[in-house]
């Protein structure tokens, strides 16, 4: 999943979209699947390995996704259970379609993740699977890993189960529709409970010291031969939906730790330097961050509908760059088992259509609950998985940073020579006269040259000297 969500509109021939097309060519992004991969995927789509359990009649699942999404990894059903709640969460069973060692498997290990560009996405699996036969589309019977997580009245986990089952989603919501039905009281109980359970889980997150970044979507739109930047603030339903995914990822991590074998998503605490840089960014964007206020408390106070807060939340994603994947075996637990933003053990398991590691996490959890041995293909791949995921995450991060650079350059390309207000948020160790400046409005970051020593953290006026989408370059100098 991308940390920053950027969308661009306009014709394919527009300079911005041309720069994005050139970026994909430069980074050798494999947009097309080899013929043998497509052929195997077509065969698998027609003949999946189906589970023995059939839950299609018993559990009326629903999905919540962006309106244009067709690669639907998750579907849920929420109900009351005594004084607490029961969460049924179905995750697409990719292993039902992917033959270990086959062409689709090999291509997935080569791609590792779905890559997101402002104008398109490059999928992990062929669309016949990821947007068709494996996707939890409404009205379709699908193989899934079906989680059952029971919660008490405060939203704390009290019991967990996961098993393979055939499922059927009944309704597909987008976030706006789900939010509207919850707000106006027309939502049926399974959807209405999303708000109730989501709020309880958000309180649990606060208690354990976790942080969820409600990062707005950025959209750059052409207007009068120039570009403007707009933000779409996430709805409360976005956050409640994310809490169900977090709940499942935490439950999966606990199962693995109890069983002694697994793959965790870990993140150490952010270094002081990264937080200090973020404080300077807050200063540049006029985001009030008193020194006695913690990072977590500040994040919860921000309003993503405020453009300054929205821009700051975008920059907060930089604190997630130290996250990694940690494999452990045979009861020997790793030194770090937690994800600092989640403030608990956590693993990626809810997006197997879009992320390679999730397929393995699902198998680890299924085996742990059933008390069975893992399929041979899982332990055989575990040791290499962190390296593959690190490389895939690095590539996704490079794509994300390059896309941000292109979008910011496009936003400023007709304003070279203008003067802006900004703050120097970083200085290069080897060149103290060169660093990074955060501009207040529009909220962009660029390289500044000739800043002079002692400028770190200083507010100053800067002149835009270069904005080139094709070169992905924005440059400033002191005005």
């Amino acid at each position: 999943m991308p940390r920053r969500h950027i969308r661009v509109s306009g014709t394919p021939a527009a300079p911005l979209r041309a720069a994005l097309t050139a970026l994909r060519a430069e980074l050798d992004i494999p947009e097309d699947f080899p013929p043998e991969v497509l052929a195997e995927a077509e065969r698998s789509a027609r003949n999946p390995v189906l589970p023995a359990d059939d839950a299609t009649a018993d559990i009326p699942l629903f999905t919540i996704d962006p309106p244009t999404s067709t690669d639907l990894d998750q579907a849920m059903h929420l109900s009351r259970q005594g004084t607490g709640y029961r969460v049924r969460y179905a995750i697409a069973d990719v292993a039902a379609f992917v033959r270990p060692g086959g062409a689709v498997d090999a291509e997935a290990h080569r791609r590792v993740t779905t890559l997101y560009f402002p104008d398109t996405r490059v999928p992990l699996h062929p669309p016949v699977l990821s947007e068709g036969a494996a996707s939890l589309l409404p009205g379709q019977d699908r193989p899934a890993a079906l989680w059952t997580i029971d919660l008490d009245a405060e939203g704390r986990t009290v019991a967990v189960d996961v098993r393979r089952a055939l499922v059927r989603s009944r309704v597909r919501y987008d976030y706006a529709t789900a939010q509207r039905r919850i707000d106006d009281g027309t939502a049926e109980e399974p959807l209405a409970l999303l708000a109730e359970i989501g709020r309880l889980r958000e309180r649990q997150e606060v208690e354990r010291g976790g942080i969820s970044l409600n990062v707005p979507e950025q959209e750059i739109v052409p207007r009068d031969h120039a570009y403007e930047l707009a933000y779409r603030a996430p709805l409360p339903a976005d956050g409640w939906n994310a809490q169900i995914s977090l709940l499942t990822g935490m439950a999966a991590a606990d199962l693995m730790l109890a069983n002694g074998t697994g793959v965790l998503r870990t993140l150490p605490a952010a270094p002081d330097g990264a937080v200090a840089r973020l404080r300077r960014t807050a200063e540049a964007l006029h985001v009030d961050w008193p020194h006695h206020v913690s990072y977590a408390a500040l994040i919860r106070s921000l309003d993503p509908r405020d453009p300054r807060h929205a821009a700051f939340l975008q920059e907060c994603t930089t604190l997630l760059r130290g996250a990694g994947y940690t494999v452990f075996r045979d009861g020997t637990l790793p030194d770090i088992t937690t994800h600092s933003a989640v403030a608990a053990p956590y693993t990626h398991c809810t997006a197997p259509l879009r992320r390679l590691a999730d397929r393995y996490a699902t198998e680890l959890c299924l085996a742990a609950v059933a008390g069975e041995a893992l399929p041979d293909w899982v332990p055989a791949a575990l040791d290499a998985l962190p390296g593959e995921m690190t490389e895939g995450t690095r590539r996704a991060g490079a794509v994300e940073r390059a896309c941000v650079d292109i979008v910011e350059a496009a936003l400023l390309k007709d304003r070279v020579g203008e003067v802006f207000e900004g703050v120097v948020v970083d200085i290069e160790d080897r060149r103290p006269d060169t660093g990074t400046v955060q501009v207040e409005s529009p909220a962009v970051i660029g390289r500044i040259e000739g800043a002079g020593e002692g400028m770190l953290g200083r507010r100053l006026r800067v002149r835009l000297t270069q904005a080139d989408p094709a070169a992905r370059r924005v440059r400033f100098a002191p005005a």
Side-chain angles (χ1 to χ4, degrees), residues 205 208-212 267-268 320 338-344:
E205 183 175 74
R208 68 176 186 268
I211 303 165
S212 287
L267 177 66
L320 302 176
T338 59
H339 188 291
S340 63
V342 180

Side-chain angles (χ1 to χ4, degrees), residues 61-311:
L61 299 164
F62 63 89
T63 60
I64 304 181
D65 289 277
T68 58
S69 293
T70 51
D71 51 346
L72 310 185
D73 290 283
Q74 317 105 9
M76 75 178 82
H77 180 267
L78 309 174
S79 61
R80 299 191 185 277
Q81 178 83 355
T83 59
Y85 308 89
R86 172 162 286 182
V87 175
R88 309 300 292 272
Y89 204 45
I91 307 299
D93 187 3
V94 173
F97 298 90
V98 177
R99 179 173 58 85
V104 174
D105 187 28
E107 184 69 9
H109 278 267
R110 186 166 76 93
R111 295 186 176 221
V112 181
T113 67
T114 293
L115 294 176
Y116 295 86
F117 291 81
D119 58 338
T120 191
R121 69 176 182 269
V122 180
L124 172 63
H125 299 101
V128 69
L129 297 179
S130 61
E131 300 177 26
S135 179
L136 302 183
L137 298 167
Q140 304 295 318
D141 292 354
R142 293 290 187 257
L146 180 60
W147 288 81
T148 301
I149 305 176
D150 288 340
L151 307 175
D152 66 15
E154 278 76 46
R156 296 184 180 88
T157 301
V158 294
V160 175
D161 181 69
V162 60
R163 61 192 62 207
R164 283 193 157 93
L166 199 66
V167 302
R168 183 188 301 140
S169 173
R170 299 296 203 278
V171 183
R172 175 180 175 177
Y173 296 108
D174 58 53
Y175 290 106
T177 301
Q179 188 70 57
R180 185 174 63 254
R181 294 196 178 182
I182 291 170
D183 290 345
D184 66 19
T186 61
E188 296 183 359
E189 183 177 82
L191 177 60
L193 284 176
L194 180 65
E196 195 169 324
I197 295 172
R199 291 188 184 107
L200 289 172
R201 292 302 302 177
E202 287 171 344
R203 282 185 216 141
Q204 293 294 322
E205 183 175 74
V206 172
E207 287 183 12
R208 68 176 186 268
I211 303 165
S212 287
L213 288 177
N214 292 318
V215 181
E217 180 183 74
Q218 291 176 291
E219 183 176 13
I220 183 165
V221 292
R223 189 164 289 131
D224 298 329
H225 306 291
Y227 290 104
E228 293 181 2
L229 184 63
Y231 294 98
R232 185 193 75 84
L235 297 167
D238 293 62
W240 302 331
N241 188 53
Q243 286 296 328
I244 303 299
S245 180
L246 281 169
L247 168 69
T248 309
M250 293 166 64
D254 288 343
L255 284 177
M256 292 177 185
L257 289 167
N259 198 45
T261 300
V263 53
L264 301 176
R265 182 66 165 160
T266 54
L267 177 66
D272 291 341
V275 177
R277 185 185 190 278
L278 210 53
R279 280 192 172 275
R280 293 189 287 271
T281 300
E283 168 69 17
L285 295 171
H286 295 283
V287 173
D288 186 28
W289 188 356
H291 279 279
H292 69 275
V293 174
S294 69
Y295 171 66
L298 173 72
I299 294 302
R300 294 189 190 100
S301 73
L302 299 179
D303 181 356
R305 294 169 297 183
D306 182 324
R308 296 171 300 116
H309 292 185

